[in-house]
Amino acid sequence: MLDGVVRRRIEEISLAPMAGQALERVTRDGRHEPVLDAALHGLSRYIAVHGEDMHRRLGAQSPWWVPGPLSNRMVHRLLVRSETVLRQMASDRRHPLRIQLTDALVNLAEQLQSDPLMRRRGEEMKAELLAQPTVRELGATLWKEVKDELRAQSVEPESELRRRLSALIANGGRRLATDPDLAAAVERAADSALKVGLTSFDEELVGLVTGTIARWDAHDTAYRLELLLGPDLQYIRINGTVFGALAGLALHAAATAA
């Protein structure tokens, strides 16, 4: 069921326009700048740390007719220059290449929302994603992991789940006891929920109650009523006995006197 719900929700969403709207919000008013700072710094550090490995890989792919020393020098200069440019872009938000990158992101956000080709490619990517076995099993896997975690924490007295629930219930009780506005809001919400439930499921509730009572036998019904109304029934019995006796005595005395 969870897999079907997730799949239907994803299928109803147009991936490209949604991604374009998200990218537009991110790039609005320079909100993307910290992300670019981190990304550019990360790329610069990656080249600095893995430069030798990249040098070896790029050098191995050089054309056969390029001499080895020349190829090594070209790759070395390329890596050094790339690291320098990335570091400059990360530290200077007015760097020309960084401005071009920002403009490209803004243009991409607009294209994702308005370009039919982008929309079609987004739908194709979404279909390919949903067709993956891992994605098809995602709902069941998540549900199983949640159930297993809840079971494990529910039997552990000192688990994080129990502590948080206990704290939440205690805080909620204190707020209900000390905050009249919150108590009134909760009471209104409970009244509304009860009214909605009674009006929406009145036939089902009546059927449930009448069906349950119809299955009771006479002894079981008397026993249940005794448990539910025991004190009131005893009060009624005592009152009936006392007032009945007094009424009888009064009638007897009146008949005797007559």
Side-chain angles (χ1 to χ4, degrees):
M1 182 186 68
L2 183 61
D3 179 72
V5 170
V6 172
R7 184 174 295 275
R8 285 194 299 271
R9 293 292 295 176
I10 295 177
E11 289 175 347
E12 293 172 357
I13 297 173
S14 296
L15 185 61
M18 184 182 68
Q21 292 172 6
L23 184 58
E24 181 183 5
R25 293 189 183 97
V26 170
T27 55
R28 186 181 302 161
D29 300 328
R31 298 173 186 171
H32 67 293
E33 296 293 357
V35 179
L36 275 183
D37 290 341
L40 293 171
H41 276 298
L43 287 174
S44 176
R45 287 194 300 269
Y46 182 86
I47 293 177
V49 173
H50 301 280
E52 293 185 3
D53 182 59
M54 296 178 66
H55 190 167
R56 185 171 57 256
R57 292 174 180 273
L58 292 174
Q61 297 178 3
S62 298
W64 62 269
W65 45 268
V66 177
L70 178 60
S71 174
N72 291 334
R73 184 176 302 176
M74 292 174 58
V75 173
H76 177 73
R77 293 189 61 181
L78 173 63
L79 293 175
V80 171
R81 183 57 181 166
S82 298
E83 180 187 355
T84 302
V85 171
L86 288 172
R87 190 169 58 250
Q88 292 174 349
M89 292 174 64
S91 59
D92 182 11
R93 294 185 175 181
R94 301 306 302 170
H95 193 281
L97 292 179
R98 180 157 177 166
I99 294 176
Q100 291 181 14
L101 179 59
T102 298
D103 293 340
L105 291 174
V106 173
N107 185 42
L108 176 61
E110 183 179 352
Q111 287 183 346
L112 287 171
Q113 297 180 71
S114 59
D115 191 343
L117 178 60
M118 286 287 190
R119 184 185 295 268
R120 186 170 63 252
R121 291 179 62 183
E123 294 304 305
E124 292 174 353
M125 292 176 58
K126 183 178 69 176
E128 293 176 0
L129 178 65
L130 292 175
Q132 297 296 321
T134 304
V135 177
R136 289 199 299 267
E137 299 171 358
L138 179 61
T141 303
L142 289 177
W143 181 240
K144 183 180 182 302
E145 290 179 356
V146 170
K147 286 194 300 182
D148 293 342
E149 186 66 22
L150 287 176
R151 287 195 184 102
Q153 295 211 24
S154 63
V155 299
E156 180 62 39
E158 298 300 325
S159 66
E160 183 70 15
L161 176 65
R162 282 183 175 241
R163 289 200 302 269
R164 288 183 177 273
L165 284 178
S166 299
L168 180 63
I169 293 172
N171 291 334
R174 284 192 292 268
R175 285 201 60 190
L176 286 174
T178 58
D179 191 340
D181 294 336
L182 178 61
V186 171
E187 186 172 357
R188 289 193 301 269
D191 290 341
S192 300
L194 184 60
K195 291 177 182 178
V196 171
L198 291 176
T199 55
S200 301
F201 304 99
D202 52 349
E203 295 182 0
E204 289 82 356
L205 292 173
V206 171
L208 175 63
V209 174
T210 55
T212 302
I213 295 177
R215 290 192 296 270
W216 292 352
D217 55 21
H219 181 270
D220 191 24
T221 303
Y223 177 71
R224 292 175 182 271
L225 291 175
E226 187 74 27
L227 289 179
L228 180 64
L229 305 173
D232 294 332
L233 288 175
Q234 296 297 332
Y235 182 74
I236 293 172
R237 289 167 180 163
I238 294 173
N239 285 343
T241 302
V242 172
F243 284 105
L246 292 176
L249 289 174
L251 292 174
H252 177 72
T256 303

